[in-house]
Amino acid sequence: MADIEDERFDFVVVANRLPVDRITTHDGSPSWKTSPGGLVTALEPVMRANDGAWIGWTGTADDDQDAFETGGLHLVPVRLSASEIELYYEGFSNDTIWPLYHDVIAQPTYSRRFWEAYVEVNRKFAEAAAAIAADAGTVWVQDYQLQLVPRMLRELRPDLVIGFFNHIPFPAYGLFSQLPWRREIVEGLLGADLIGFQRRADAGNFLRAVRRLFHVPTGHGRVELPAAGEGRWPNSMSDQPRTVVARHFPISIDARSYVELVERQDVRDRAAQIRHDLGNPSTIMLGVDRLDYTKGIRHRFAAYAELLAEGKLDVDDTVLVQIASPSRERVETYKALRDEIELTVGRVNGEYGTIAHSAINYLHHGYPREEMVALFLAADVMLVTALRDGMNLVAKEYVATRADDDGVLVLSEFAGAADELKQALLVNPHDIEGLKRAMLTAVHMSRQERRTRMRALRHRVLTHDVERWSKDFLDALAQLRPTESAKAAAAAE
Ligand code: G6P
């Protein structure tokens, strides 16, 4: 095989993180394990079929890891220094864009130092992609950490076909316009041929930002960009007018792998064990989230505590299990959230718990997928109460797991998943009374209604899995590839 350093790839994925975790094997030597995310599962077959490579950060500061292969994937690390992690990842990505794009639930920090680092690191990713993409290859850039890459890459490599997918919401212009670098971000994204969003509304917000900032026409999800220097489109992106398509492609999960896990006897036994360990309550409610202020964990706890206070739920036969996996722990807002959530858990348990039963069973850990599936199977009611969420894959994971057509999903209308999972109990998590009503409806729902709703939900998730998502996106991108005759005509002009 050719040295990976010299290889060129027809299909390149660019994401902040590589889809692997560093592990230590039994004999103590370091190795890599593919992370269980849906994205890599969906893209693995595409990468194998198309000679693909994945560019991303290993998750460790100052990591000099060379390009390598694991599990048949070509992985190309981008080295980030401790200061770049602080300013680009914790700073601009997670303390500016993340809160801004989630409707300013937390106050974004607008720091010029963060911005400068974001530009520099985006350039590193763009250069890495430009160096390994084959002639006229396809590059698919992922998510809000890398919004400048499409334009930078187009300037370096005009021959490439470039896609971008935004995994988080795109805010309304009234909020987006706060960003001091709003023009640069939109110009960065417009370097792509196809820009994918989770919801129709996100694509609409983006197109409105394009119209407001650049006064270019955007009918039917197509942005018609004039040639460079014309009108209010002053950059050097292209000598020719270009069309950029922006539309929604709701992401999903690898649903089959969940179905396979539920079929395993050890996973079912574990679900029964969890119920038993919790004291065989009549109702187990479950929340599973990264510990993030967008997830509405506080609202969920408030509604649950009020139901206990009013005697409508009782800790002797109900428990709320909250898995909150550690996330972005060096960012101040996340530190403050952890303190607040843990204080609330202590208060609610102190107030309503008994020697035998806690009101909230709170776990600040991540768990392997087998354990998550066992928890989903054990849970009668799944609470997804996000204040804003691009999609929320946990909602889809719960549904895929419930092959028994049982369980009730309470789902925030502010999660992208609400556009598809209409047979869930949809809630506005800010409306605590409404949330309480939905929780009680879930607890008391008849078996027949649970079955009818879950069947419809499962049909949607099983027929719209992550493989279909990536195929839809890549098919749409392939259609935008200029034909030979169009290239010849452009060259002749
Ligand atoms: C969200 C983002 C992803 C990100 C993930 C975990 O789902 O859309 O891009 O990778 O959160 O966050 P982290 O900061 O740990 O990568």
Side-chain angles (χ1 to χ4, degrees), residues 171-182:
Y173 188 70
L175 292 174
F176 181 70
S177 57
Q178 288 184 6
L179 187 66
W181 308 280
R182 58 198 185 189

Side-chain angles (χ1 to χ4, degrees), residues 16-17 89 94 98 143-145 167-168 290 327-328:
N16 178 51
R17 286 183 188 272
Y89 168 70
N94 290 315
W98 183 270
D143 226 355
Y144 65 101
Q145 302 92 345
H167 292 251
I168 69 172
R290 269 186 316 99
S327 186
R328 307 175 190 163

